[in-house]
Amino acid sequence: MSLTTPSNGAEPQAGALDLTNAKTLCLLRLSAIGDVCHAVAMVQAIQRRYPDLKITWVLGKIEYQLLKHLPGVEFVIFDKSQGWRSYFNLRRALKGQKFDALLHMQVALRATVASLAISAKLRIGFDRFRAKEGQWLVTNRRIEAQAQPHVLDGFMGFAKAIGVTDLTPSWNIPILAADTEFAQTLIPTGSRVLVICPAASKAERNWLPERYAAVADHAVEQGYRVMICGGPAPLERELADKIQAAAQSELENQVGNTSLLQLLAILKQASVVIAPDTGPAHMAVTQGTPVIGLYAHSNPGRTGPYTSLSSVVSVYEQVITEQKQGPIPWGTRAKGPDLMASISVARVIEQLDMLLD
C-alpha cells in the first residue's frame, strides 16, 4: 500500500500499510515509565519487520535515562520542565527532518502540540474514540479500534497498522556492565530476594506500610531477603522508612540509591517484585521477573504488569462497581483516598507463596 493518504476529506482507518520502501519513522511517546516500557515491545516488533528503518523517538527526559542505550533508535528529548520553551527546542532539534511516517502514541494536549514540530507525510493516531486532547486534529490516519485492550496491546495496534504481523511482545533494554555489576553485588545471581517497590506516582495508590511490612516479614520467614527500592522523592523515602519501622525483620532499604538503569538491573536479579500501579512493575516485566501488582484505582486488565496479570491482587472491580452505575468504560479510574486499604495481607501472601520457590 502507498504511504500517501486519501485526499477526499475522509477519516481513514489504518490498514495493513507496508513501510518496506520507507526510510524514516518517528515515534511520539513522551511518558511515563510504564508506558514507554510497553512501547519498547512495539518498537522492537517494528524493528524485526523493518530492520533497515531509521527510527527516531521523541521521549521525555526522565524516560530517556531508562532507554538511552536502546539499539537502533535515535532519541530526541522533550523536557516538559522547560514549559513553552520545550516546544521551540523540539522544533529546533527536528529542523530539516522529514519523516515518512509518525506514530502519535500519546493522548495528551502537550503531545498534540509537540506533534506540530514533527514533519511527516503519514501521521497515525489512535482510533477516533481514543484520539482525545485534540490528537485527531493532527493525524490523518487511525489505528483499528480495540474494545478492551491492555495499554501494550493498544500500542501494538500501531505496529499492526504499518504491516507488522509478529506482535508477540519481547524486550531488549540494554543494561551496562557497570549497572549489572552493581546489582549483582547487592543480589548475587541465584539469591532469593523479594524486591518491594512500594510507591506509585500518587500516594493514594500506595498500599499501607504496615501491610507491606507484614508481607516482608512473611518472605523473610520463608528464607528470602527483602529489599525496598524506589526513587529519591521525599514521599518514597518516608514510605520506605515506615515499612521498615513496622517490620519485625531487618529490611534492605535502597530507596533513592539507584539510577533507573541500576534499578532495572536489580529488578532483573530479583526473584519476585511487589508493586502498586507504578513504573518499576513494568520495568520488572521487561526483565522477565514475576510481579505481584496491587490495584484498586485502575483496571489491571488495562494497566497491569503484562506478563503477570494472573498474579495481580486487585479490588478494582469491586470498588468501581460500587462507584459507577451501568456500563463502565474500560479506562475508568476509581476514586477515593482509602481504596488500597481493601487489599488484604492474606491475599498478597497467597499470591506470593505461589511464586516463591
Side-chain angles (χ1 to χ4, degrees):
M1 180 179 288
S2 169
L3 290 180
T4 58
T5 56
S7 58
N8 58 5
E11 295 182 351
Q13 297 286 345
L17 291 167
D18 186 347
L19 297 192
T20 300
N21 296 322
K23 298 185 184 306
T24 57
L25 173 71
C26 185
L27 165 66
L28 175 62
R29 180 72 209 191
L30 305 176
S31 60
I33 292 294
D35 290 328
V36 300
C37 285
H38 300 321
V40 167
M42 184 219 68
V43 167
Q44 293 181 334
I46 292 173
Q47 289 176 319
R48 292 194 297 270
R49 173 66 177 84
Y50 301 110
D52 297 324
L53 187 63
K54 180 181 177 183
I55 297 177
T56 299
W57 187 340
V58 181
L59 183 68
K61 181 179 179 180
I62 293 173
E63 294 75 13
Y64 170 72
Q65 295 306 313
L66 178 66
L67 303 185
K68 57 187 175 182
H69 303 300
L70 207 66
V73 179
E74 177 181 319
F75 291 99
V76 175
I77 297 175
F78 180 88
D79 185 358
K80 65 180 181 181
S81 69
Q82 296 175 345
W84 282 102
R85 287 182 299 164
S86 60
Y87 300 102
F88 296 109
N89 291 339
L90 177 61
R91 181 176 292 277
R92 185 180 303 114
L94 295 174
K95 184 177 180 180
Q97 296 191 57
K98 295 184 178 180
F99 299 96
D100 292 313
L102 165 67
L103 304 185
H104 189 335
M105 297 172 53
Q106 184 146 355
V107 178
L109 183 58
R110 73 174 181 274
T112 297
V113 176
S115 74
L116 299 176
I118 302 170
S119 176
K121 181 179 354 181
L122 179 64
R123 307 173 67 88
I124 302 175
F126 284 104
D127 58 276
R128 185 59 186 269
F129 178 76
R130 290 180 287 175
K132 301 173 183 177
E133 300 286 341
Q135 191 201 58
W136 62 277
L137 293 171
V138 294
T139 57
N140 54 24
R141 200 167 184 93
R142 306 194 305 270
I143 68 170
E144 294 178 357
Q146 297 166 300
Q148 296 182 333
H150 189 281
V151 172
L152 190 154
D153 295 321
F155 288 171
M156 282 298 188
F158 285 86
K160 183 179 179 181
I162 58 173
V164 177
T165 55
D166 177 8
L167 303 176
T168 304
S170 62
W171 292 267
N172 173 24
I173 303 178
I175 303 173
L176 297 183
D179 296 325
T180 297
E181 291 171 7
F182 171 84
Q184 290 178 341
T185 299
L186 294 175
I187 307 177
T189 300
S191 299
R192 293 151 58 93
V193 177
L194 166 65
V195 170
I196 298 177
C197 296
S201 58
K202 295 184 178 180
E204 66 180 13
R205 299 180 196 167
N206 298 338
W207 204 29
L208 285 66
E210 62 271 18
R211 298 190 187 179
Y212 278 124
V215 173
D217 286 335
H218 175 78
V220 171
E221 290 172 1
Q222 304 305 308
Y224 280 73
R225 292 166 52 200
V226 177
M227 184 176 294
I228 309 174
C229 292
L235 286 176
E236 296 198 44
R237 293 183 185 274
E238 181 181 352
L239 179 56
D241 289 342
K242 287 181 177 179
I243 294 170
Q244 177 63 82
Q248 302 299 310
S249 311
E250 187 65 30
L251 311 181
E252 301 172 42
N253 187 351
Q254 292 295 330
V255 170
N257 294 341
T258 62
S259 68
L260 274 174
L261 282 172
Q262 287 172 335
L263 176 57
L264 187 68
I266 287 173
L267 295 172
K268 183 176 182 177
Q269 293 295 107
S271 306
V272 183
V273 173
I274 295 178
D277 186 7
T278 186
H282 306 291
M283 290 167 61
V285 166
T286 71
Q287 301 307 302
T289 302
V291 180
I292 299 175
L294 309 179
Y295 281 74
H297 291 84
S298 56
N299 183 349
R302 180 177 178 274
T303 63
Y306 192 82
T307 57
S308 292
L309 295 178
S310 61
S311 299
V312 164
V313 178
S314 172
V315 294
Y316 171 78
E317 186 173 350
Q318 168 194 327
V319 297
I320 199 66
T321 53
E322 291 172 354
Q323 293 184 4
K324 303 289 184 179
Q325 303 296 320
I328 300 171
W330 182 241
T332 303
R333 288 188 178 273
K335 298 180 180 180
D338 303 313
L339 301 184
M340 293 292 284
S342 297
I343 297 176
S344 70
V345 170
R347 286 189 62 193
V348 178
I349 287 179
E350 180 183 7
Q351 284 295 336
L352 180 62
D353 284 345
M354 289 193 221
L355 295 175
L356 297 182
D357 294 334

